[in-house]
Amino acid sequence: IFQFSFDWNDGLFDVTWSENNENVLITCSGDGSLQIWDMTKTKGPLQVYKEHTLEAYSVDWSQTRGEQLVVSGSWDQTAKLWDPAVGKSLCTFKGHEGVIYSTIWSPHIPGCFASASGDQTLRIWDVKTPGVKLVIPAHQAEVLSCDWCKYDENLLVTGAVDCSLKGWDLRNIRQPVFVLLGHTYAIRRVKFSPFHATILASCSYDFTVRFWDFSKPNPLLETVEHHTEFTCGLDLSLHNRGQV
């Protein structure tokens, strides 16, 4: 059921729903700006934030109920923190030495987010302190995606141009806790299941979507080959257990 179409004059790279208003969403764009849209007001964006100096590639609304915060990641190598009620960014996070492809809030720890970058690192940040909290040299390739486990506040997954997925325990970053191999081209997006602690899904430039259970000896559960082009994004429904 097609309901609304919003137009912007540059490519849109990511979208996040508001966690406090079912009609509001934020997109981020190739011109470095973020747009706030309201489905009840379809004329244009409610607000546009233009601070990033290069493509804004990632945007995420915080999941914790304590605060309404949005984080964006850009090819200008910075992440920015926003309160949608305030017209400018609250804080800019610097440290990455390559473009930022992904910025994802922790579902457990208020004010904590992760970023994945072309500088081959996964970084963990705390909004209360401007510097980086933790730098994980995750891959020997650009890291395009990361996600937090919904059942373990110390576990994250990264997906990279080297075709691998790696799990990271923040208490011991010397070795990955798992490595998942099978994709044949760069992994563009990875997501942990909202229902199972050890299941995740990934999609890739190899046109496939794959489902994994890292607790099993043969972790690849299924390979879906429905797409005929690069598979760039995916998400798992919070409401229907099997829906992607």
Side-chain angles (χ1 to χ4, degrees), residues 8 20 29 43 50 62 65 68-70 72 89 95 100 124 148 161 171-172 185 203 207 233 239:
W8 190 246
N20 68 348
S29 168
K43 286 274 179 285
K50 177 81 175 79
S62 63
R65 290 286 171 259
Q68 290 302 320
L69 295 173
V70 171
S72 60
S89 65
I100 295 175
I124 311 298
W148 296 81
V161 172
R171 294 160 301 188
N172 178 8
Y185 284 94
C203 66
F207 302 1
H239 308 289

Side-chain angles (χ1 to χ4, degrees), residues 102-104 114-116 122 143-148 156-159 190:
S102 181
T103 45
I104 303 283
S115 58
L122 172 71
V143 187
L144 302 185
S145 185
C146 62
D147 196 30
W148 296 81
L156 292 96
V157 63
T158 52
V190 58

